[in-house]
Amino acid sequence: MTSIVQFENVGLRYGSSPETLADLSFSLGPGAFYFLTGASGAGKTSLLRLLYLAQRPSRGVIRLFGEDAVLLPRVRLPGFRRRIGVVFQDFRLVPHLSAADNIALPLRVAGVAEADIVAPVREMLAWVGLAPRADALPATLSGGEQQRVAIARAVINRPEVLVADEPTGNVDPEMAERLLHLFDSLNRLGTTVVVATHDLHLLSRIPNAQMMRLDKGRLLDPTGALRHPPRPVGA
């Protein structure tokens, strides 16, 4: 199976501090579902930032959609990013736009005609239970409502890759189930989904999902051992 994402010996360092991520080598298949787990500070958000091209690695190779994303010219970055849906922990809604207009933003950026935007936005609002709040500004929405708007915005254009950072952290259990069902439905349509979460109860909700576990910036295999143990000093 051809990989849609491939990391080869990737490391990430902020400034002169020790590496936040080290020796990451893995592949993500098209149409697969992944949970990214790990304790707070394990590096989950940093790994997601590499996936959606908000951060370049300090070393190693990252390939997205068959191309070297590290060497990708800046002029091509916007086109690549439009193929990736992102749900941020802090939502990042545009404060002067209504819930409906925030959700519509990816379609407008992609040049979709206004006549073709109304129906999918209405559908997404209904799906996340916010049809009555279509005209509400983000400041008037609760944290859970803002989270639902952010998720609807990320998935409205059916991205090839969906990256979600703790997407169920601000919603009640019933809405968390609905959101996971949405991610699962999108995955069944062919989108590769990566959900970072500390809630291990979510893992059983998607039976076919694979788990990636981070510990102090390194990937573990399913047994809890490092996939690529650090080399001994002097080796």
Side-chain angles (χ1 to χ4, degrees):
M1 179 174 60
T2 303
S3 299
I4 197 167
V5 176
Q6 187 173 12
F7 278 44
E8 296 179 3
N9 299 315
V10 170
L12 176 63
R13 185 192 310 275
Y14 295 104
S16 59
S17 62
E19 285 191 323
T20 301
L21 299 172
D23 302 321
L24 299 185
S25 294
F26 63 87
S27 297
L28 305 183
F33 196 118
Y34 301 87
F35 282 112
L36 175 63
T37 68
S40 178
K44 299 190 298 295
T45 296
S46 292
L47 175 51
L48 295 187
R49 284 176 57 82
L50 293 175
L51 279 173
Y52 61 79
L53 304 177
Q55 184 79 41
R56 289 182 184 266
S58 305
R59 61 182 174 90
V61 176
I62 299 176
R63 292 188 176 87
L64 291 176
F65 313 119
E67 297 194 50
D68 189 329
V70 178
L71 300 179
L72 197 69
R74 289 189 178 276
V75 69
R76 295 190 60 203
L77 282 176
F80 259 60
R81 286 172 176 151
R82 282 196 289 271
R83 301 168 72 178
I84 304 170
V86 185
V87 182
F88 301 99
Q89 269 188 305
D90 54 357
F91 315 139
R92 302 192 191 181
L93 302 179
V94 181
H96 64 274
L97 295 182
S98 67
D101 284 334
N102 265 284
I103 294 170
L105 196 56
L107 300 181
R108 291 193 170 115
V109 169
V112 176
E114 286 296 317
D116 296 325
I117 289 176
V118 176
V121 169
R122 185 184 298 121
E123 180 182 354
M124 290 306 307
L125 281 164
W127 208 97
V128 297
L130 289 175
R133 308 302 310 273
D135 297 325
L137 294 176
T140 69
L141 299 173
S142 69
E145 288 172 334
Q146 291 183 49
Q147 179 72 299
R148 284 183 268 164
V149 172
I151 290 171
R153 179 183 61 184
V155 305
I156 192 168
N157 62 348
R158 294 188 181 179
E160 293 174 61
V161 175
L162 175 68
V163 176
D165 196 355
E166 300 286 356
T168 61
N170 290 281
V171 297
D172 59 46
E174 181 181 354
M175 182 52 63
E177 290 279 355
R178 290 182 63 185
L179 295 178
L180 278 180
H181 178 68
L182 174 60
F183 293 157
D184 186 41
S185 298
L186 192 68
N187 173 246
R188 291 173 187 274
L189 292 173
T191 295
T192 298
V193 176
V194 183
V195 175
T197 182
H198 66 277
D199 185 356
L200 298 182
H201 294 292
L202 297 180
L203 306 185
S204 63
R205 300 297 191 268
I206 311 292
N208 296 324
Q210 301 177 55
M211 186 171 68
M212 302 169 62
R213 299 172 60 200
L214 273 176
D215 180 50
K216 299 178 182 177
R218 295 177 180 271
L219 279 175
L220 305 178
D221 69 17
T223 68
L226 286 172
R227 291 185 182 178
H228 301 284
R231 296 176 182 176
V233 176

